[in-house]
Amino acid sequence: MVGLFKFSRFSLLLLLVLASLGWACGNNQESSKPKRKPKIESLADLGALPKYVTDPPGNPTSPEKVKLGRLLFFDPILSGSKDVACATCHQPEFSYAEFLETSIGVGGMGRGSKRFFLDPNDIPFVKRNSQSILNVAFNGIRNGETYHPDSAAMFWDLRTKGLEEQALFPIRTFEEMRGHGYEEDKVVDDIVKRIKAIPEYRSLFAAAFGGQSDPVNAGNLAKAIASYERTLIANNSRFDQYMRGDSSALTTGEKEGLNLFLKAGCAKCHSGPMFSDFKLHTLGVPDTPNRPETDAGGDNNYGFRTPTLRNLRYTSPYMHSGAFKTLDQVMLFYEDLTGGKIENPKVEMYQMDSLVSQINVKFKDIDRIVEFLNSLNDESFDKSIPEKVPSGLPVSGM
């Protein structure tokens, strides 16, 4: 028994030694393996915008639809109080966005930064920053994927798909266009009745949707506005020209900025021809001071859709809350993210998007990256405004 005990103890010690040697060897093998570096996106992850717009199967474009949609877009008859048009918050001079943190819809007066609420007022600011609808015809487009315009991502929270579905949402929204005195589920029908009472609109709808016995309806209203919005494109920026083969379209500084943009990890979200993956990401962007409540985004986790980076020169302020007035401020926000700082006190570290750890914006690179971003600007888009609208109301609203 004693000999067996000694043998067992010796065997146990031997096994422990061998095991420890094996572990050490295995651990050395593991540590000798090269660590996987984060993927750095390349120029192939970006892209030029298409030269032509794709219409959804159920709404092929026509000059008649575009003409009608343009008038509806600038006509305040679409709002409950007849004081707000689509163009109130989507202004041609600001690339069809607006120079306000968050917009003033119904109950306001004035244009752009000079717009104010009438007194007395109990209507809040619009919840989020007014996104540009320039190039919205290309929303959802991704490299190597079939593009379906009727399922394209819309709004900061992705709550609708396609321009036809999106077009009627602002009309139904209390602080945007509906206002007091109208029920959310009935206001569009009320607006259609107004339009139907105007002879010029009846003629325009009949011309745009010929063959229908009752062409003035909510579906055709949405289709006409969507058809017009698909004409608002700016797809020939110097970056587009560069991607189509003109190597001289970008300056040396802009090319350097492009490389730094990719190296910093910006294209992990800002990718494809629209510089957007059209997904929700939680970055801890500060709330707007214009609303008392916090905005938890489209997933109730402070996630917001990646915005396009095109025509940024004319679409400030930036982010869903309009928190940053300049591109430099945006880039400094991302530099702070690199350092682990969260600007929104409502957001915890565990909520932050996993891609944040792969962003590496350095202060010394900011000027060059902003220089590159300016190569995405293109002013060659339709900025024309109708002289009058069929309702006889003020063009673009009060």
Side-chain angles (χ1 to χ4, degrees):
M1 291 293 292
V2 174
L4 179 61
F5 174 76
K6 288 181 178 179
F7 174 79
S8 298
R9 185 170 61 180
F10 175 77
S11 301
L12 180 60
L13 289 171
L14 180 61
L15 288 172
L16 288 171
V17 170
L18 290 173
S20 64
L21 288 172
W23 177 85
C25 181
N27 197 48
N28 286 336
Q29 288 178 353
E30 186 68 28
S31 62
S32 66
K33 292 181 181 179
K35 293 183 178 180
R36 181 180 296 177
K37 294 181 179 179
K39 176 182 178 288
I40 296 179
E41 281 66 30
S42 69
L43 197 58
D45 291 291
L46 307 178
L49 283 173
K51 291 186 177 181
Y52 304 100
V53 170
T54 300
D55 298 324
N59 190 24
T61 192
S62 70
E64 293 79 12
K65 285 182 188 177
V66 172
K67 177 182 178 181
L68 170 60
R70 180 171 178 264
L71 292 171
L72 290 167
F73 187 87
F74 286 92
D75 197 334
I77 198 170
L78 298 188
S79 62
S81 301
K82 302 181 183 180
D83 58 347
V84 181
C86 303
T88 303
C89 302
H90 298 284
Q91 301 164 17
E93 60 267 39
F94 293 107
S95 286
Y96 291 89
E98 182 180 24
F99 191 63
L100 285 177
E101 289 176 351
T102 59
S103 298
I104 296 173
V106 288
M109 178 176 284
R111 297 278 292 166
S113 59
K114 296 181 179 179
R115 187 165 175 79
F116 61 92
F117 279 114
L118 297 172
D119 190 29
N121 171 68
D122 61 353
I123 296 175
F125 281 87
V126 172
K127 190 173 183 178
R128 295 173 184 141
N129 179 259
S130 177
Q131 286 189 319
S132 171
I133 58 170
L134 195 63
N135 288 324
V136 76
F138 300 118
N139 268 22
I141 193 169
R142 300 286 298 141
N143 287 337
E145 298 178 12
T146 303
Y147 172 55
H148 300 285
D150 49 350
S151 61
M154 296 290 159
F155 292 113
W156 283 105
D157 55 10
L158 307 180
R159 67 184 181 273
T160 65
K161 295 181 178 180
L163 281 170
E164 284 74 13
E165 184 180 349
Q166 178 273 335
L168 301 182
F169 261 73
I171 298 173
R172 298 191 185 104
T173 304
F174 170 64
E175 64 268 38
E176 292 188 36
M177 298 181 76
R178 175 163 58 93
H180 290 294
Y182 295 89
E183 297 179 35
E184 183 177 354
D185 60 345
K186 295 180 181 179
V187 64
V188 173
D189 292 334
D190 292 335
I191 298 301
V192 167
K193 289 177 183 177
R194 286 183 191 172
I195 293 171
K196 194 175 290 188
I198 300 173
E200 185 177 352
Y201 268 133
R202 291 202 302 270
S203 297
L204 289 165
F205 271 86
F209 301 97
Q212 298 183 18
S213 59
D214 186 20
V216 186
N217 57 59
N220 288 342
L221 170 64
K223 287 180 178 180
I225 294 173
S227 294
Y228 167 66
E229 289 179 338
R230 287 195 178 94
T231 68
L232 302 177
I233 59 173
N235 57 352
N236 195 35
S237 68
R238 288 186 296 108
F239 174 77
D240 292 306
Q241 296 167 29
Y242 178 77
M243 291 298 289
R244 293 175 189 141
D246 183 359
S247 60
S248 65
L250 298 185
T251 67
T252 300
E254 288 166 345
K255 291 175 183 176
E256 182 182 344
L258 168 57
N259 289 329
L260 292 170
F261 174 89
L262 295 167
K263 185 178 179 181
C266 303
K268 294 186 184 303
C269 300
H270 293 286
S271 56
M274 280 288 280
F275 285 76
S276 174
D277 60 3
F278 299 99
K279 296 178 181 178
L280 300 177
H281 295 284
T282 300
L283 302 176
V285 176
D287 284 321
T288 174
N290 291 338
R291 302 268 296 212
E293 74 278 11
T294 189
D295 186 352
D299 54 0
N300 207 35
N301 191 52
Y302 293 87
F304 297 92
R305 193 193 88 199
T306 306
T308 181
L309 299 182
R310 290 180 172 273
N311 275 43
L312 290 177
R313 178 185 295 165
Y314 315 105
T315 57
S316 67
Y318 307 108
M319 304 299 203
H320 75 276
S321 57
F324 306 120
K325 290 182 171 60
T326 69
L327 290 178
D328 282 350
Q329 290 176 353
V330 174
M331 297 308 300
L332 288 171
F333 166 80
Y334 280 108
E335 187 202 22
D336 287 342
L337 275 187
T338 300
K341 180 180 178 181
I342 302 176
E343 296 243 3
N344 191 327
K346 301 286 187 180
V347 179
E348 301 291 339
M349 181 60 73
Y350 75 88
Q351 295 173 279
M352 296 289 281
D353 197 286
S354 59
L355 289 176
V356 168
S357 63
Q358 300 180 44
I359 297 173
N360 187 22
V361 175
K362 298 179 179 178
F363 181 80
K364 66 182 179 63
D365 298 333
I366 288 177
D367 286 347
R368 277 287 187 257
I369 294 176
V370 171
E371 189 175 353
F372 159 65
L373 293 176
N374 280 319
S375 74
L376 298 174
N377 298 320
D378 177 11
E379 295 187 58
S380 59
F381 58 90
D382 179 15
K383 306 178 187 70
S384 62
I385 300 173
E387 293 184 4
K388 60 180 181 178
V389 289
S391 68
L393 295 167
V395 176
S396 299
M398 294 177 60

